[in-house]
Amino acid sequence: MEKWISPSRAASMIRTGDTVMVGGFGLVGTPLTMIQKLESTDVHDLTIISNNLGDQNKGLGKLLADGKVKKAIGSYFTGNPDVGAFYHAQRLQVELIPQGSLSEAIRAGGAGIGGFLTKTAVGTALAEGKTIIEMDGEEYLLQKALRADVAIIRAHKADTLGNLTYYKTARNFNPMMATAAKLVIAEVDEIVEAGELDPEQIITPHLFVDYIVRAEVKIGG
């Protein structure tokens, strides 16, 4: 199967109502080309699992401003003032998860684990509605694993098979998200022939990647 496709074709695979994992920390390691292509589609009611919702009118912030996001699951939304405004206007549902728990919930989803116990958030508003389990005299919150219909991730290089390498901190949540979705689309700077990547540098094996697209939009561009 040919994995290298156009960003527009890849965006057409995302459907209204899908749960979508989106890599990135701020705008670093964020698949900005794929997000831009989604802006021109008619999909809506998306549930976005991501550390944050971009900046105001940038990255995922643009999808929010366009009314395409129904719910956001993540850990750091205060960088985009539209998130608070949309939430208070009842135009957006928000589920806050501490950053370490968010990362582990995605990893658990990819590993086939139903959830895990953590002391983080016990006794806070973030524990409301969640299961608390007592063990050895201590209380733990049961954090359920996270999975998605689609993951759109950002990598540095891919070979034609779909093996991925990452660039420094732009790696962030991307490798974990590649394991936790039914369909994985990787946006990359460069595509090389199979065998050209150093095997020791490959972080995400090709079996996790369904499609690759070449990045057209970068931070500041």
Side-chain angles (χ1 to χ4, degrees):
M1 180 183 72
E2 177 61 54
K3 289 193 173 184
W4 181 6
I5 63 174
S6 71
S8 295
R9 182 184 168 199
S12 72
M13 297 176 182
I14 299 173
R15 310 296 184 188
T16 290
D18 274 353
T19 295
V20 184
M21 287 183 177
V22 183
F25 190 104
L27 295 178
V28 177
T30 300
L32 296 175
T33 302
M34 283 297 302
I35 292 172
Q36 185 184 78
K37 296 302 180 182
L38 276 176
E39 292 172 23
S40 61
T41 70
D42 60 358
V43 297
H44 53 88
D45 287 339
L46 297 174
T47 294
I48 300 294
I49 300 173
S50 190
N51 180 65
N52 52 279
L53 285 183
D55 293 339
Q56 194 169 37
N57 287 311
K58 294 181 180 179
L60 287 170
K62 188 65 169 65
L63 293 187
L64 175 64
D66 290 345
K68 295 181 179 294
V69 182
K70 176 183 69 175
K71 181 177 181 178
I73 300 173
S75 64
Y76 188 77
F77 296 128
T78 55
N80 183 351
D82 284 347
V83 175
F86 274 60
Y87 173 77
H88 289 294
Q90 297 184 336
R91 297 176 60 190
L92 176 70
Q93 302 170 42
V94 172
E95 181 178 345
L96 283 172
I97 302 178
Q99 196 168 77
S101 297
L102 175 68
S103 177
E104 181 64 6
I106 296 168
R107 189 200 69 81
I113 298 170
F116 59 94
L117 299 178
T118 176
K119 292 180 68 66
T120 304
V122 171
T124 74
L126 296 184
E128 293 179 5
K130 296 192 174 182
T131 300
I132 303 297
I133 294 174
E134 184 175 328
M135 185 170 60
D136 298 330
E138 300 283 348
E139 289 188 334
Y140 295 85
L141 181 149
L142 174 60
Q143 175 62 56
K144 294 182 179 180
L146 292 172
R147 286 193 56 82
D149 299 301
V150 183
I152 51 175
I153 64 172
R154 185 70 161 85
H156 179 43
K157 290 184 180 181
D159 64 19
T160 51
L161 292 176
N163 294 302
L164 304 179
T165 66
Y166 297 87
Y167 184 75
K168 299 181 178 179
T169 57
R171 173 173 168 175
N172 52 67
F173 295 90
N174 288 290
M176 291 174 294
M177 290 182 172
T179 70
K182 298 174 185 175
L183 176 70
V184 177
I185 301 165
E187 177 180 327
V188 302
D189 292 308
E190 184 180 351
I191 302 171
V192 300
E193 292 299 320
E196 289 189 32
L197 296 179
D198 180 350
E200 296 300 322
Q201 300 299 315
I202 293 171
I203 303 299
T204 299
H206 65 87
L207 62 91
F208 290 110
V209 179
D210 296 292
Y211 296 102
I212 49 177
V213 302
R214 192 187 298 277
E216 299 171 358
V217 180
K218 300 180 182 180
I219 296 175

